[in-house]
Amino acid sequence: MAKTAERRQARRVRNLGLAFLIIGLFVVGAVIVFALSDVQDKTLESSGFTIPPAVSNFAAPQLDLTDLQGNPVSLAAYRGQVVLVNNWATWCPPCKAELPEIQAYYQAHANAGFIVIAIESGDSAEVVSNFIQKSKLTFPIWLDPEGAAVAAFHNLGLPNSYVIDQDGMVRMSWTGQINRATLEKYVTPLLGK
């Protein structure tokens, strides 16, 4: 009887060790897959890979907020221009990664009737101002402490971006990080209209 108990105990220990080995292999595999997909995403974006937008056709929402200086601002004031509304946050890694891409596109097309309205979701004016100075962003930054913009566009995921045409209609959108190649491919054709 003692030998049977010892065998059962040895089998349990062996099975427990095997279970830990399987779990460990699963975790290592998941880490490798995540790391490779992150490298692939960065490689695709840096190589000019474009991310197709969701096609839209609805009137831009009425949106009244304040800028970094506390002045009232309104989305309606930009009628007649192509507007990229970008909802973002200072704490959001994909938001921070896409802002230099958006800045480069903005600098290249600001004289063609194009404007970026970057709406920061939730941080104080001081935190956002410090971030903007370090990032050297030159397009308008609006503050949205209550989440009015993400609510107006019915999209809580950050970052998210919406292209509004000269007539005030939302024509396309993205949820997630975008790059300059994507903007060139999908937004630039609207600028000549």
Side-chain angles (χ1 to χ4, degrees):
M1 254 215 221
K3 285 213 177 237
T4 306
E6 286 176 17
R7 285 185 192 141
R8 276 191 231 146
Q9 181 64 22
R11 193 176 318 135
R12 283 187 199 128
V13 169
R14 193 172 49 241
N15 289 343
L16 186 60
L18 185 58
F20 280 124
L21 178 64
I22 291 170
I23 291 170
L25 289 173
F26 178 76
V27 169
V28 169
V31 168
I32 290 171
V33 167
F34 178 75
L36 289 177
S37 68
D38 188 45
V39 168
Q40 182 181 16
D41 288 346
K42 288 179 182 169
T43 302
L44 289 174
E45 286 195 15
S46 66
S47 69
F49 178 75
T50 60
I51 302 139
V55 178
S56 304
N57 190 24
F58 61 91
Q62 177 63 36
L63 199 53
D64 299 302
L65 297 169
T66 59
D67 64 16
L68 283 172
Q69 291 72 40
N71 301 314
V73 287
S74 175
L75 194 54
Y78 292 90
R79 198 83 177 268
Q81 292 183 282
V82 173
V83 179
L84 175 72
V85 172
N86 178 256
N87 291 304
W88 66 286
T90 60
W91 50 262
C92 166
C95 301
K96 293 190 284 189
E98 78 177 353
L99 287 171
E101 298 277 326
I102 293 172
Q103 175 66 35
Y105 184 81
Y106 171 69
Q107 285 179 310
H109 298 284
N111 292 332
F114 174 74
I115 188 79
V116 174
I117 306 293
I119 303 175
E120 204 287 332
S121 296
D123 280 325
S124 69
E126 182 180 354
V127 169
V128 177
S129 291
N130 289 336
F131 180 88
I132 298 307
Q133 286 177 345
K134 289 176 188 171
S135 302
K136 297 183 169 110
L137 301 177
T138 60
F139 43 76
I141 307 292
W142 296 2
L143 300 175
D144 188 13
E146 305 299 320
V150 292
F153 285 102
H154 308 289
N155 188 347
L156 300 177
L158 293 177
N160 61 64
S161 300
Y162 296 85
V163 177
I164 303 168
D165 70 11
Q166 295 90 334
D167 298 321
M169 297 297 290
V170 177
R171 294 297 177 192
M172 60 189 87
S173 64
W174 293 269
T175 298
Q177 184 177 336
I178 56 175
N179 59 28
R180 184 172 178 181
T182 296
L183 296 171
E184 290 289 357
K185 180 172 183 176
Y186 296 103
V187 179
T188 303
L190 293 176
L191 300 179
K193 294 182 179 182

